[in-house]
Amino acid sequence: MELRGKTAIVTGSNSGIGLGIAREMARAGADVVLNSFTDRDEDHALASELADAHGVNVRYIKADLSKADEARALVEQAGRCDILINNAGIQHVAPVEKFPIEKWDAIIAINLSSAFHTTAAALPMMRDAGWGRVINIASAHGLTASPYKAAYIAAKHGIVGLSKTVALETAREPITCNAVCPGYVLTPLVESQIPDTMKEYGMGRDEVIEKVLLDRQPSKEFATVEQLGGTCLFLCSDAATQITGTTISVDGGWTAL
Ligand code: NAD
């Protein structure tokens, strides 16, 4: 896979899956734009590290994707976008009647609306370049539900619908749009759920991982950020030219249940 000369914007990429995907993009020769809402030395250091490791241009651009204007400005500031990977996401767990309104609004804004804004800003650039890939990182929770994750599941089902719509609007062009649906991946987002779950179930860490987190993942293994990066690279390959408007599950069999 050779992506030299292409620019990939990966939202929410100073940690976890986004960083893993950014690494695979850089390894394949793409110039990369890293993003998050912070502006720390270590964010910029990550960009230098990736650039040095793979001989590509890597920039870190701060944008708070809960805000429409910052999401659009991220793409404008990048100046070029051949590959857009909408990955930024947050989680909050509570029953519907107790779900804090500000958490609902933040999850819908970051996990769903930001992808609408970045895609709207990126499509004209892809059309100018004559090629484009939009890859939305949804979730197994874009295809199935679990209790207490109303906002997350609504947003992830929403981004699957957004992916299909963008695919239809670009179907006659050399642009594709798909959603990747990971099962559990051991990232900071998942790590942060472990202590509360241990308390809630009165279990140790390993038991929580096996019996709670991976309960619905038949492989009983986490998916890895490298596997997700590889899936995104496949969607950028010539073999995937006719793959558009669909979902690719990387979930150890979860959605086969
Ligand atoms: P993570 O917490 O490690 O990464 C989330 C990223 O989003 C971070 O870079 C964070 O800084 C960024 N982000 C959060 N709020 C932001 C904001 N307002 N503006 C800009 N960036 C913001 O989590 P992760 O597990 O790597 O999750 C990445 C994506 O993968 C999310 O969309 C998540 O829903 C999805 N996903 C994760 C799993 C999993 O098991 N880890 C499973 C399915 C889907």
Side-chain angles (χ1 to χ4, degrees):
M1 177 85 266
E2 176 60 52
L3 294 179
R4 215 154 282 276
K6 307 233 185 282
T7 295
I9 300 178
V10 187
T11 71
S13 48
N14 66 351
S15 104
I17 294 172
L19 180 56
I21 293 171
R23 280 192 201 285
E24 295 305 313
M25 290 287 146
R27 199 192 307 280
D31 294 328
V32 173
V33 173
L34 297 174
N35 152 264
S36 184
F37 60 93
T38 51
D39 199 9
R40 305 165 304 177
D41 288 347
E42 60 238 61
D43 296 323
H44 296 276
L46 266 180
S48 309
E49 182 220 307
L50 249 70
D52 292 347
H54 302 291
V56 294
N57 292 318
V58 184
R59 278 178 294 160
Y60 176 86
I61 301 180
K62 171 191 181 274
D64 179 350
L65 299 182
S66 66
K67 301 188 172 98
D69 53 344
E70 292 197 29
R72 287 174 186 252
L74 165 65
V75 178
E76 300 303 337
Q77 220 180 312
R80 181 178 177 119
C81 182
D82 305 285
I83 301 162
L84 172 64
I85 299 180
N86 289 306
N87 165 80
I90 59 169
Q91 174 66 286
H92 186 79
V93 179
V96 168
E97 69 277 17
K98 292 191 180 138
F99 212 94
I101 295 170
E102 65 279 8
K103 292 285 184 198
W104 172 274
D105 288 343
I107 290 174
I108 298 298
I110 296 166
N111 296 21
L112 176 58
S113 302
S114 73
F116 159 66
H117 296 300
T118 54
T119 303
L123 283 180
M125 294 180 182
M126 293 178 179
R127 289 187 172 121
D128 284 350
W131 188 91
R133 295 286 182 265
V134 181
I135 303 173
N136 293 320
I137 306 303
S139 169
H141 280 133
L143 303 168
T144 66
S146 300
Y148 314 126
K149 295 182 176 175
Y152 187 86
I153 286 162
K156 294 300 186 182
H157 276 69
I159 208 167
V160 169
L162 174 67
S163 308
K164 292 180 185 177
T165 305
V166 171
L168 292 181
E169 292 186 18
T170 56
R172 300 291 294 266
E173 303 173 79
I175 296 172
T176 68
C177 179
N178 294 286
V180 172
C181 296
Y184 272 107
V185 185
L186 195 55
T187 63
L189 182 141
V190 170
E191 275 290 351
S192 69
Q193 297 172 34
I194 293 178
D196 282 350
T197 316
M198 285 167 64
K199 269 189 231 145
E200 189 186 338
Y201 288 87
M203 289 178 179
R205 182 186 160 83
D206 290 349
E207 213 178 353
V208 160
I209 288 177
E210 195 198 320
K211 296 195 177 146
V212 183
L213 295 184
L214 297 180
D215 179 43
R216 291 167 73 184
Q217 202 146 310
S219 66
K220 297 293 169 203
E221 282 181 27
F222 288 108
T224 67
V225 301
E226 291 79 12
Q227 290 159 1
L228 289 160
T231 304
C232 291
L233 283 184
F234 167 66
L235 286 171
C236 293
S237 71
D238 290 344
T241 301
Q242 287 300 314
I243 299 178
T244 195
T246 193
T247 57
I248 298 191
S249 290
V250 185
D251 66 2
W254 178 335
T255 45
L257 282 174

